[in-house]
């Protein structure tokens, strides 16, 4: 009996040792697995500097939410379809020039009022927004997913485009898009010949606020890159002269005048446009009498603010200056 108990004790001890070895191997295996996972996670992310600091984002994001109209166009131009985006300022819910590409994309509010709940339900792996629009909710957005912000929404649209290309880890594709645009600009400049010396006037009708647009507007930046001249009173490096009165209509004159109307659906902006364009001062403008005042899309000449809208604007330039390529 004593011998049996001794043998049983040895057997139990052996089992304990073996179990301990097995546990150690398992712990080591789990440790190696976690280490490998962490390493893979780090290898699959990049650090992006932006308006709110530095964020670690996926190197190849699959579920992107974008919170500006111009940002939406940047994504589409680089071949990225967002899972969610803010509503276009004009359209139901998207601008006409992007609605086909946006089929199936979830609306997550507007630039000024995004829906955090809707964004969270989309389970994004990257959020792209803008400091000027969404600074107050940056921390809440970052709690949902890595978030990258551009600084502002004025002036040169290419600055934000490059920021978004970095966030998407698509700098090469982004550069290709910009080079294609710049080459088109150069082609238009060359085909214009002496017409590039014409002075181009820009006017916008908004309910309660008539504006003469200057060089730092979306359209102004593009006209400047083409090489067009501007009327003397519009050669200012800011956005616009706002709250213009009818007495200032003579300052809207130019070799060509392009005007656009921000109509939201209540008819008020269209009423303002009709009132002004039927006024005696407007009809007496030399550019109007010569048939060189043209109404163009507010979305593509101003509100959308992105690379796709910029190319739509170039289509209009080619058309109105009769330099369309066959």
């Amino acid at each position: 009996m004593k011998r049996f108990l001794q043998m049983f004790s040895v057997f139990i001890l052996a089992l304990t040792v073996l179990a301990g070895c097995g546990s150690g191997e398992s712990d080591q295996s789990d440790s190696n697995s976690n280490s490998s996972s962490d390493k893979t996670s780090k290898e699959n992310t990049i650090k992006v500097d932006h308006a709110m600091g530095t964020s670690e984002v996926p190197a190849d994001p699959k579920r992107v939410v974008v919170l500006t109209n111009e940002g939406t166009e940047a994504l589409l131009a680089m071949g990225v379809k967002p899972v969610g985006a803010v509503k276009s300022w004009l359209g139901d819910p998207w601008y006409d020039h992007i609605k086909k590409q946006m089929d199936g994309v979830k609306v997550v509010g507007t630039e000024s009022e995004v829906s955090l709940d809707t964004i969270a339900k989309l389970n994004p792996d990257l959020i792209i927004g803008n400091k000027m629009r969404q600074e107050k909710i940056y921390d809440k957005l970052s709690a949902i997913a890595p978030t990258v912000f551009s600084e502002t929404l004025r002036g040169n649209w290419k600055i934000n485009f490059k920021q978004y290309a970095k966030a998407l880890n698509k700098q090469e594709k982004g550069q290709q898009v910009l080079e294609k645009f710049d080459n088109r600009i150069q082609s238009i400049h060359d085909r214009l010949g002496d017409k590039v010396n014409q002075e181009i006037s820009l006017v916008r009708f908004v309910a309660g606020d008539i504006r003469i647009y200057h060089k730092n507007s979306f359209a102004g930046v593009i006209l400047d890159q083409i090489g067009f001249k501007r009327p003397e009173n519009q050669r200012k490096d800011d956005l616009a002269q706002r709250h213009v009165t009818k007495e200032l209509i003579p300052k809207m004159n130019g070799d060509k005048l392009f005007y656009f109307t921000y109509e939201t659906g209540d008819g008020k902006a269209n009423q303002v446009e009709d009132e002004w364009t039927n006024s005696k001062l407007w009809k007496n403008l030399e550019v109007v009498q010569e048939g060189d005042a043209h109404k163009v899309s507010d979305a593509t000449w101003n509100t959308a603010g992105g690379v796709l809208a910029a190319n739509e604007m170039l289509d209009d330039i080619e058309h109105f200056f009769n330099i369309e390529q066959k």
Side-chain angles (χ1 to χ4, degrees):
M1 181 67 177
K2 184 177 179 181
R3 181 176 177 79
F4 173 76
L5 290 175
Q6 289 176 337
M7 291 179 65
F8 182 75
S9 297
V10 171
F11 178 71
I12 294 298
L13 180 61
L15 285 178
T16 302
V17 171
L18 288 172
C21 291
S23 175
E25 289 174 357
S26 177
D27 290 344
Q28 184 65 39
S29 176
D30 289 344
S31 176
N32 289 339
S33 177
N34 290 336
S35 176
S36 176
S37 177
D38 290 344
K39 184 179 180 181
T40 300
S41 177
K42 291 293 184 182
E43 288 177 348
N44 289 336
T45 62
I46 58 172
K47 289 185 177 180
V48 178
D49 295 329
H50 58 98
M52 301 298 291
T54 302
S55 295
E56 191 166 314
V57 306
D60 185 22
K62 302 297 185 184
R63 298 185 61 80
V64 185
V65 168
V66 60
L67 305 180
T68 66
N69 285 191
E70 44 88 51
T72 299
E73 295 202 3
L75 265 64
L76 294 175
M78 287 184 277
V80 177
K81 186 174 183 176
V83 294
V86 290
K87 182 182 183 296
S88 297
W89 290 114
L90 299 169
D92 185 25
W94 314 117
Y95 296 117
D96 287 343
H97 67 282
I98 66 169
K99 62 183 180 183
K100 289 183 179 179
Q101 294 171 271
M102 294 293 283
D103 183 46
V105 177
K106 182 72 174 179
V107 175
V108 297
T110 66
E111 286 190 12
S112 302
E113 191 173 354
V114 302
S115 171
L116 293 170
D117 287 342
T118 304
I119 293 172
K121 289 176 182 177
L122 289 172
N123 193 29
D125 55 6
L126 175 64
I127 299 172
I128 293 177
N130 178 267
K131 183 177 180 179
M132 192 173 91
R133 290 281 193 248
Q134 298 114 17
E135 181 178 11
K136 292 181 179 180
I137 60 170
Y138 175 77
D139 290 339
K140 292 180 179 179
L141 290 168
S142 295
I144 297 173
T147 302
V148 171
F149 271 10
S150 53
E151 183 75 35
T152 187
L153 289 169
R154 300 280 170 81
N156 189 350
W157 58 271
K158 293 181 182 179
I159 296 172
N160 286 3
F161 183 92
K162 292 176 182 178
Q163 177 71 74
Y164 304 145
K166 289 180 181 178
L168 296 168
N169 198 22
K170 288 183 175 292
Q171 292 97 319
E172 183 176 347
K173 176 62 177 177
Q175 188 59 36
Q176 291 173 0
V177 172
L178 292 180
E179 286 179 359
K180 184 176 180 180
F181 179 82
D182 290 343
N183 289 339
R184 188 178 180 195
I185 287 279
Q186 185 62 53
S187 173
I188 287 174
H189 175 275
D190 294 343
R191 281 179 281 135
L192 281 166
D194 291 340
K195 293 179 182 178
V196 78
N197 295 314
Q198 291 187 15
E199 295 183 352
I200 310 301
S201 179
L202 296 174
V203 174
R204 190 186 192 205
F205 296 109
V206 180
D209 186 9
I210 315 306
R211 305 174 186 179
I212 297 175
Y213 271 69
H214 297 159
K215 293 179 66 176
N216 204 36
S217 61
F218 177 69
V221 168
I222 294 171
L223 292 176
D224 191 56
Q225 186 180 356
I226 293 172
F228 279 119
K229 306 297 186 291
R230 301 295 302 280
E232 185 175 357
N233 65 296
Q234 297 180 30
R235 298 171 194 168
K236 299 177 181 178
D237 293 320
D238 59 9
L239 179 66
Q241 181 178 357
R242 304 182 63 171
H243 304 295
V244 173
T245 59
K246 287 182 179 177
E247 291 74 18
L248 294 176
I249 286 178
K251 292 186 176 293
M252 297 176 177
N253 203 38
D255 294 313
K256 269 191 173 51
L257 188 161
F258 295 102
Y259 65 95
F260 31 100
T261 302
Y262 183 65
E263 176 54 63
T264 59
D266 60 8
K268 292 181 179 180
N270 283 337
Q271 290 176 6
V272 171
E273 177 199 321
D274 289 342
E275 178 187 341
W276 279 60
T277 57
N278 284 298
S279 68
K280 184 176 180 180
L281 284 172
W282 177 275
K283 290 182 176 181
N284 283 340
L285 286 173
E286 184 177 352
V287 67
V288 172
Q289 292 180 346
E290 292 183 359
D292 283 322
H294 306 287
K295 181 175 181 177
V296 291
S297 166
D298 185 89
T300 54
W301 280 65
N302 186 75
T303 310
V307 61
L308 302 182
N311 275 288
E312 293 278 330
M313 178 179 163
L314 295 186
D315 289 345
D316 287 341
I317 294 293
E318 289 178 329
H319 170 71
F320 288 115
F321 283 87
N322 297 312
I323 56 169
E324 293 165 298
Q325 289 184 317
K326 304 302 182 182

